[in-house]
Every structure is written in C-alpha cells, then in structure tokens.
Amino acid sequence: MGHDWSIARRLFLANALFILAMTVFVGTAAFVDARDRGFAEAENRMLSVATSIADSPLVLAAARSTDPSRILQPYALRVTEDAGLDFITIMAPDRTRWTHPTPSEIGRPYIGTVKPALAGEPFTEVTTGTLGPSVRAIVPVTDDTGAVLGLVAAGVKTSNLSIALSARLPAVLAVALILLAAGTVASWLLGRYLSRVTLGWGPEQLAQLFVYYDSVLHSVREGLVLVNLSGEVVLYNDQAARLLGVPVRATAVPSPGPGRRASVAAALSLDRLDLPPGLGALLQSGRSAVDEIHLTDTRVLVVSQKPALLPAVGRHQPAPMGWVATIRDHTDMQHLGSELQSTRTLSDALRAQTHEHANRLHTIVSLMELGRGAEALDFATRDLELSQQLTDDMIDSVDEPVLSALLMGKFAQASELGVLLTVEAAGSLSDSGLSGQDLVTVVGNLIDNALDAAAGGDAPRTVHLTVRATAHVVTIEVADSGPGVAPEAVTDILQRGYSTKEPGAYGRGLGLALVHQTVKRLGGDLTITRRVGALFTVTLPHRDAAGISATPGPATGVAVAEPTGAAHG
C-alpha cells in the first residue's frame, strides 16, 4: 500500500480482500457440504430401496428357484424405473448376477465389495462398476434361519448426483454474491466515516502529526487547555498544569519517545479543578476571549479562548468540537508594571515639584526685583524647611526606603488632586521580612484607590495611611473621605475587572484584585469597614528568611461594614 493512502482507503481495500476471501471460503464450504449431504442422502435412499427389495417375498422365492433371472429381471427393471435409480443388481452369494440393466451382464460376477453383506450386515459404498462410479447399498437376502440366499445392490451414478448438485450451485453463488455485496457496502460506509473523522490522512501522517503536536505542546511556554462540549478538560500541556495547579496525567496514547508523556488526558471535569471563579466560568462557557486577565492566589494569568472547529470536509460544514484556551503567565510582567507605575508616580511627583518650585522661584525672583530681599530670603528659607521637614518625617516614620519613595510621590499626587494625604507609622518594617515589592503593591494600590475615592467626594478631601509593625504582624490601614463601599459590592470589588473608573482607564479593575491576591498569598487578612468613608485594613504576618509566614496568620477573608454609599474600584 502507498504511504500516502488514507486510513479509509487502506481499510476499504483490506476489508474488501477479506470479504472476497471469506466469500470464496464460505462458498467452497457450502459447495462441499452440499456435495457431502447429497452423497449421504443418496446412500440412505439406496439403503432403503435395497432393504425393501431384500425383504420382498418375491425375491426370497426367486432365490430358491432354479432360474432366478427369469423372475427377478423384469421386477428389477420396473423398480429401477419407478425409484429413479441407475441400477438394481440382485445376485447369488457367489457374486453371480441374476439381474442387471444391461442384459449381457447377467450371469457375470458382480464388481464391488460383498463381504459385509455375506456376513449379514447391510452397508454402502462408492465404487466403480460396469456403469461407472456410483453410490450403492448392498443388503443380504436371508431366510428365516438367517442364511444368506442372495444379495441386493441398488445404486445411482455419481454423475447424476453431480448434476443435482450443480442445480444447487446458483443458490450457493447467490448467497456468496450477497455476502460480498453487503461486505463491500459496509466497507465503503466505514471508509467514508473514517475518511471524515481522520480528514483523509494516513496512519503515518497521523503518527507524524501526533509527534509534532506533542513536541509543540511540550516546548511552548504558554499553557494550552482543550475543553470538550461537555465542559471536560481533555487535553492540556505541562505549562497549563503548572499554571492551573493541575496534576500531569498519564496518557492513554502511546508516548512518542522514551521518557515522554503526551498531553492527552482522560476527561477531567472543570468542577473538580480548584480554579478561580472567573477563570472557571470562562473555560466552562466556551465564549471567545482575547487577553483577559485572571488572578489566582499567586499568579496573574492572561487568557485567550476560541472555539475548536472540525475542518469542513466535502459538504459538511465546520463542526465545533470544543474550545481551546491559551494561558500566559504575566506575574513577572505585572510586577514590572507595578514598578513602572511606581516610577510614573515618582516622575509625576518630580514634575509636580518642578512646577511648584518654578512658581516659588518666580516668587523669590519677583520679590528680589521689587527690592524685598529680606522677604525673598525668608520665603525661600521657610519653603526649604517645609520640604526638608516632610522628607525627614517620611524617612523617620517609614524605615522601608522603597515604601518611603512611593509615599513621597503619593504626596505630590494627592496635592495635585486636592486631597490631603497624611501618614502615621509605628514600629519597624525592616524586621517584618516583607518584601518592598509586596508592600508597594498593597500600599500603592490602596492609596491610589483611596485618592480616587476622596477626589470624587465632598470637601474636606482626605486620605490617611497608618502603618503599624508589632513583633508578629504588620497592620496597614487606609481611610478616605469618599462615599464608602456598599456591602453588596464588597465581594465584587476584589474581583478582577470591577471598577468605578471609566472604561479603558489605566489599571482599571486590577488594583484591589492585586491587593487581595498579595494578601492571600502572604497569609494575611483584608477587611473593609467604614470610618468617614471606606477603611481598608490589611494585616500581614511576619515572614522568615525563606519567605514563609513566621507566625500563624488569621484566615484570609473580607469583613463588611454597615451599609454605605457607592463602591470603590
């Protein structure tokens, strides 16, 4: 068979050859069986006729007469014609024929076996006599004492049996042809089905394709998940297993190489996987998605999803088989984004301070031009003291340099928004073991959220940050003068994508979700209550050198305040 032949063509040809061989075998077996059955029926009929003749009183009386041929020849010819036989030969115990279809053979010795009949046992045989090969029965003619007075041989030529058998041959051939036609049609229908489901590819092509796809699945750095129409995961690669926390399953398909495991898995229900609600709902729904952000406890995942369609073959339209989701790990990218946002904040602060210092410098120059040097010097001195005091207070209050730099930028950002930002700190963060990056994620996003809420509220617009470090935990509180958080929105506010900002705004719907993710990863607790506006309280346990919580922290959760106004985002 050609290597470019499809599975359907190979199966059709192999099945057709098999059906043809089976048809020849069955036909031959049927013919041989019919022949054997014909011979057996002929032997039984010959035995019945010969026994009836041997039991006839006429034959017994003739055997005792001096001229048996005169009495038995007419009788034998009549019975031969009536019974449709080829010959009836009645003979003496010494084989001398008393009757024969050919009169010239009368008186000559019988050709064939007579020994069992002379012993009183009827028997049948196939042998060649004067008329040719024949099936015959030989029965002894006995008196009341059991003495054998003669023998009766009745037979039919095998050529006549062959003619009768040939009459049955058309029926046997008809059955064989029907079997061949039915098998061919079944092979054709099966071939069409296989051609459709295998897309007309041969086994070598399918094996090569499997090896290629398996290599791709193991080499790509993106997670890949295939979900069928029943909502069951039927395929995923190692990267997807790592990102989703799914165990790598052994495959039912032979591995393409030593030590390799293919990515085809037994169907795994999505309900049994511990996936974030948003991601689980996306995979369950099968809807199309492009670069959606989903958060797990420790990762930021970007997910795209599209239907998996069976290619159109002939008149068949593309049919959905499920959907394919690709998953990219953007955790490091998000950390870089957080650092970039911090850099932007500092840049904005520098820009604001540059603008402010430019105004103050213009004021000093104007005072000097007006001849008011003393007032210009006093104004410059007081401005320098105020800036230095703010810097000193921040450094003295917060001993984490990265967090201090962030807060310096937030002061300028709050000033531009017309919001008063105050900071209260107690204890040392350096002993907590918490990374500056995690602190920036929590504090930066909470302050950004609070500034947005306060800026949209009524005067006086304030945001207050409290950082307290004890021997075991670090508590961060961010309170604002905004409208607060509605109890029914507490659960939604921590989900990715929920926001009160305008659609398309930078970081829309991600800040509080990242805070929640970070707090949960660190084994801390996040509560949302109310003071004037919303009050977000984060409690984080200290970390040891290995980054593991040094003290058992409270269960991660969200507490709800009394009913308030609008939600944060």
Side-chain angles (χ1 to χ4, degrees), residues 326-401:
T326 56
I327 305 172
R328 303 193 302 275
D329 187 2
H330 272 217
T331 305
D332 295 339
M333 186 75 70
Q334 186 59 47
H335 289 164
L336 292 176
S338 298
E339 295 179 4
L340 177 61
Q341 180 63 18
S342 300
T343 303
R344 285 186 176 181
T345 300
L346 295 177
S347 175
D348 291 341
L350 291 175
R351 178 182 54 81
Q353 289 177 359
T354 299
H355 180 73
E356 184 68 18
H357 285 306
N359 290 336
R360 293 171 182 175
L361 184 59
H362 283 274
T363 302
I364 294 173
V365 171
S366 297
L367 288 173
M368 294 181 67
E369 289 177 348
L370 294 175
R372 299 182 178 183
E375 295 180 12
L377 180 60
D378 180 63
F379 179 82
T381 302
R382 283 188 288 107
D383 181 63
L384 179 61
E385 290 176 351
L386 180 62
S387 299
Q388 187 63 41
Q389 181 64 38
L390 178 62
T391 302
D392 293 341
D393 290 344
M394 186 57 58
I395 293 176
D396 293 340
S397 299
V398 182
D399 59 352
E400 171 58 51

Side-chain angles (χ1 to χ4, degrees), residues 302-534:
V302 177
V303 183
S304 297
Q305 183 168 268
K306 63 183 297 186
L309 301 178
L310 184 67
V313 178
R315 293 178 296 175
H316 296 277
Q317 296 298 321
M321 298 179 61
W323 40 91
V324 178
T326 56
I327 305 172
R328 303 193 302 275
D329 187 2
H330 272 217
T331 305
D332 295 339
M333 186 75 70
Q334 186 59 47
H335 289 164
L336 292 176
S338 298
E339 295 179 4
L340 177 61
Q341 180 63 18
S342 300
T343 303
R344 285 186 176 181
T345 300
L346 295 177
S347 175
D348 291 341
L350 291 175
R351 178 182 54 81
Q353 289 177 359
T354 299
H355 180 73
E356 184 68 18
H357 285 306
N359 290 336
R360 293 171 182 175
L361 184 59
H362 283 274
T363 302
I364 294 173
V365 171
S366 297
L367 288 173
M368 294 181 67
E369 289 177 348
L370 294 175
R372 299 182 178 183
E375 295 180 12
L377 180 60
D378 180 63
F379 179 82
T381 302
R382 283 188 288 107
D383 181 63
L384 179 61
E385 290 176 351
L386 180 62
S387 299
Q388 187 63 41
Q389 181 64 38
L390 178 62
T391 302
D392 293 341
D393 290 344
M394 186 57 58
I395 293 176
D396 293 340
S397 299
V398 182
D399 59 352
E400 171 58 51
V402 176
L403 188 59
S404 297
L406 172 71
L407 293 177
M408 290 295 293
K410 295 302 180 184
F411 274 110
Q413 183 181 351
S415 177
E416 280 195 336
L417 295 174
V419 178
L420 176 62
L421 173 61
T422 57
V423 177
E424 177 184 350
S428 175
L429 292 176
S430 59
D431 299 331
S432 66
L434 297 171
S435 68
Q437 188 178 41
D438 289 335
L439 291 173
V440 166
T441 298
V442 174
V443 176
N445 283 294
L446 288 180
I447 290 180
D448 285 341
N449 185 75
L451 290 176
D452 289 340
D458 298 331
R461 301 177 178 87
T462 61
V463 172
H464 182 70
L465 168 66
T466 303
V467 180
R468 291 190 298 271
T470 64
H472 300 293
V473 297
V474 173
T475 302
I476 300 171
E477 293 182 352
V478 178
D480 62 66
S481 60
V485 180
E488 62 273 10
V490 169
T491 302
D492 295 335
I493 200 174
L494 299 178
Q495 299 297 323
R496 195 278 312 162
Y498 183 90
S499 178
T500 56
K501 297 179 183 179
E502 292 296 325
Y506 181 82
R508 182 180 186 272
L510 191 59
L512 289 180
L514 287 174
V515 171
H516 187 217
Q517 180 199 59
T518 303
V519 171
K520 189 175 182 181
R521 174 169 53 82
L522 296 176
D525 185 56
L526 169 64
T527 60
I528 303 175
T529 54
R530 180 178 178 86
R531 186 175 292 165
V532 176

Side-chain angles (χ1 to χ4, degrees), residues 21-33:
M22 286 298 297
T23 301
V24 173
F25 174 78
V26 172
T28 303
F31 180 81
V32 172
D33 180 68

Side-chain angles (χ1 to χ4, degrees), residues 121-139:
E121 292 295 331
F123 71 96
T124 61
E125 68 173 348
V126 179
T127 188
T128 302
T130 57
L131 300 178
S134 62
V135 177
R136 61 185 65 181
I138 298 90
V139 179

